Structures are given as structure tokens and as C-alpha cells.
Amino acid sequence: MSAYVTEITQFEGTPESYPAIEGVTGDLLETCWTRVEHYCGQRWAPRRVVWTLRSGGGEWKPPLGPILISEAFGWKDGDWQPVTLRRGPFGLMLPCGNVQIEASVGSNSGASIPAAVKEAIKRLAAYLTAQSPVPAGARSYSANVGQLSEAVSIDPAAMARALQYSGAADLLRAYRKASHEPV
């Protein structure tokens, strides 16, 4: 039975660092990981997450993973009271009422990063650092020299769609939905 959740808030912290990927460093590494993890339900660097739910009871599958639950609370008598959550076949069995779940989300092992994810990071990094055929801030460029002419135009959403245009999104299909292990 799926939980009837009428309200949800999710506060996701920032990891201390992201796993190293050969050939991608500094701010570019963080930018690529941020975009990839935003696109996926999986996290590869541990961080703290707090969910606050209003539940009608039943089973709820966290949208991020892998998770390790730290604490869970239920709202009772005007205060958060500790509750014990049980595992269901696909997620967590929630009690009725307001529930707050504090967890660590993400893998602690950089060795567990699939090859497809590493390649997606590399492709995205290469795309983001590629030389643009038009001057910065321009959508198109044209030049005429005698009988020769050249015209180049780019999609104004090219950077916003970098995951798709770089081919990284194709490699991340298996991780697009929360395809992590049950909690």
C-alpha cells in the first residue's frame, strides 16, 4: 500500500566533497556532479537530508538514495516525538500524521561509481568547457569576406541542456528515477 502523502518538504545538504573523476577538477567537477545528481535519484557523495511529510499511513519510497536513516519523528502533543519506522517491501512504512525523517543520503565509497556515471561526468565537463563558435553572450555570428560567407547560430538553451547535448543524459537513464536499493 502506497502512503498517501499530502505535503512534503525536502532539505538536502551539500556534500563535503564529490568523488574524483579523472580529467575533471576544481569547480568544474562540482558543477558536473551537481548537474548529474540533480538529474538522478541517486547520490554518490554522502550528505544530510531531512524530509517532512504529512502522511495518511502506508508505504513511502524516498526519492533519493541510497539512504541510511538517522532518526525519525512523529508530531504528537505539540512536539516531535521519536518513532520507529519499519521497512516495507519497497520503502518505509509511515505512521499517520506528520513525520520527519533525518537521513544520510549517498554512497561513502567512490569505488562504487558506475562506469556510465563517470563517463557522463567526463562528457558533460568536455561540453561545458568546449570553445563556443560564437562570441560570449551571442546567439549567432556571421562574417563576409568577399564572396565567402560564414554564418553560425546556436541554440539559446545550449548550456541549460548540456546534459542532453553532451550525451551524458543517455548514459544516466538507469539512474533517472529513484532506482536505488530499498531502504
Side-chain angles (χ1 to χ4, degrees):
M1 172 173 127
S2 292
Y4 176 68
V5 177
T6 58
E7 187 174 312
I8 181 171
T9 59
Q10 175 179 294
F11 295 99
E12 183 177 352
T14 304
E16 289 182 26
S17 64
Y18 287 99
I21 300 294
E22 186 179 331
V24 185
T25 59
D27 290 342
L28 181 60
L29 179 69
E30 184 176 340
T31 298
C32 291
W33 270 117
T34 301
R35 284 187 174 205
V36 164
E37 287 189 338
H38 180 74
Y39 186 76
C40 299
Q42 182 92 11
R43 298 294 183 260
W44 288 275
R47 80 280 322 263
R48 183 174 180 263
V49 176
V50 177
W51 288 285
T52 304
L53 314 163
R54 181 170 295 146
S55 168
E59 191 171 41
W60 174 72
K61 185 174 182 178
L64 304 175
I67 76 167
L68 177 61
I69 299 201
S70 304
E71 297 180 284
F73 303 94
W75 186 258
K76 186 175 180 183
D77 299 327
D79 201 5
W80 290 109
Q81 307 290 326
V83 296
T84 301
L85 298 178
R86 295 178 297 124
R87 284 181 172 211
F90 302 107
L92 299 170
M93 299 304 292
L94 297 179
C96 289
N98 294 318
V99 179
Q100 189 172 75
I101 300 169
E102 296 181 16
S104 174
V105 176
S107 173
N108 284 318
S109 171
S112 65
I113 301 168
V117 175
K118 290 178 182 178
E119 181 61 26
I121 295 283
K122 289 178 183 179
R123 285 185 186 187
L124 180 59
Y127 184 86
L128 292 175
T129 57
Q131 180 84 24
S132 175
V134 299
R139 289 190 205 179
S140 61
Y141 167 80
S142 62
N144 295 314
V145 178
Q147 294 180 335
L148 298 174
S149 66
E150 175 185 53
V152 177
S153 61
I154 61 170
D155 180 355
M159 282 301 155
R161 300 197 41 84
L163 275 168
Q164 287 76 20
Y165 291 169
S166 69
D170 289 338
L171 295 170
L172 297 171
R173 275 192 194 144
Y175 308 97
R176 182 67 175 123
K177 302 269 184 197
S179 60
H180 47 80
E181 294 294 316
V183 293

